[in-house]
Amino acid sequence: MGEIIFDAATTLNGYLADADHSLQWLFDIGGDEEPDPDLLPRDVSVHVEGANTYLWVLEHEKFMEHPAKWHTYYGDRPTYVFTHRDLPIPQGADVRLLRGAVAQHLDHIRNAAGTGNIWVLGGGELLGQFLDIDELDELALTIAPATVAAGASLLPRAIGSDRLKLVEARQAGPFARLRYRVLKRE
């Protein structure tokens, strides 16, 4: 069984997206167009995201107009999107819309991942649900040199330092990269 990894960029003041659910603040930071492959989780078999993250990426990357691009970014990996509404799906993309809590669907997601890792891309409430049921192995953050006035919080939960073990802290271009092992509750 693979690991469940939350890996996302966040603003310096702890937001995943601005008040309009936009990640444009991230793309406004100078640097390479393509993300550093060393910043991406390895051996990913499944993506999991919230509806706002999915919709923003769908629009930003114009996947509905250019569905073939989906495979360039996601390959043949299934993407599970937690939502309360019907959402558009690019032609040929393996997107599975889920309603309800993470706990209800985790066995199915794990089965789809097989021995590969599960990459939780966002958002904060989704991250919180994985933590609530003690099913997160790694918390990886790329902290951007930017702030937003309001938006989607990285984690709308309290988690004590007794549950996080720092395993990496480094510079990645203009970003700070932090990785933590998430320790299981005793």
Side-chain angles (χ1 to χ4, degrees), residues 73-154:
Y73 286 76
Y74 289 90
D76 292 328
R77 294 177 205 92
T79 297
Y80 290 90
V81 179
F82 281 84
T83 184
H84 300 289
R85 58 192 188 254
D86 291 330
L87 301 174
I89 298 173
Q91 183 178 357
D94 188 355
V95 175
R96 304 169 191 189
L97 305 178
L98 300 176
R99 297 182 196 285
V102 168
Q104 294 173 257
H105 300 285
L106 188 56
D107 286 342
H108 180 72
I109 294 169
R110 280 195 182 280
N111 286 337
T115 59
N117 292 328
I118 298 167
W119 180 6
V120 181
L121 293 112
E125 177 57 32
L126 191 60
L127 166 60
Q129 286 190 47
F130 278 95
L131 285 166
D132 289 348
I133 61 173
D134 210 18
E135 291 289 347
L136 189 70
D137 298 297
E138 183 174 310
L139 176 64
L141 304 172
T142 302
I143 301 171
T147 63
V148 297
S153 174
L154 167 63

Side-chain angles (χ1 to χ4, degrees), residues 32-92:
D32 294 335
E33 282 295 310
E34 296 298 318
D36 179 346
D38 289 336
L39 296 180
L40 303 175
R42 300 193 189 288
D43 302 319
V44 172
S45 295
V46 168
H47 293 111
V48 177
E49 27 190 283
N52 290 328
T53 301
Y54 172 75
L55 285 172
W56 192 86
V57 171
L58 200 68
E59 182 179 316
H60 184 265
E61 297 299 331
K62 310 246 184 278
F63 285 138
M64 293 306 291
E65 295 88 350
H66 308 284
K69 281 179 60 178
W70 180 270
H71 293 285
T72 302
Y73 286 76
Y74 289 90
D76 292 328
R77 294 177 205 92
T79 297
Y80 290 90
V81 179
F82 281 84
T83 184
H84 300 289
R85 58 192 188 254
D86 291 330
L87 301 174
I89 298 173
Q91 183 178 357

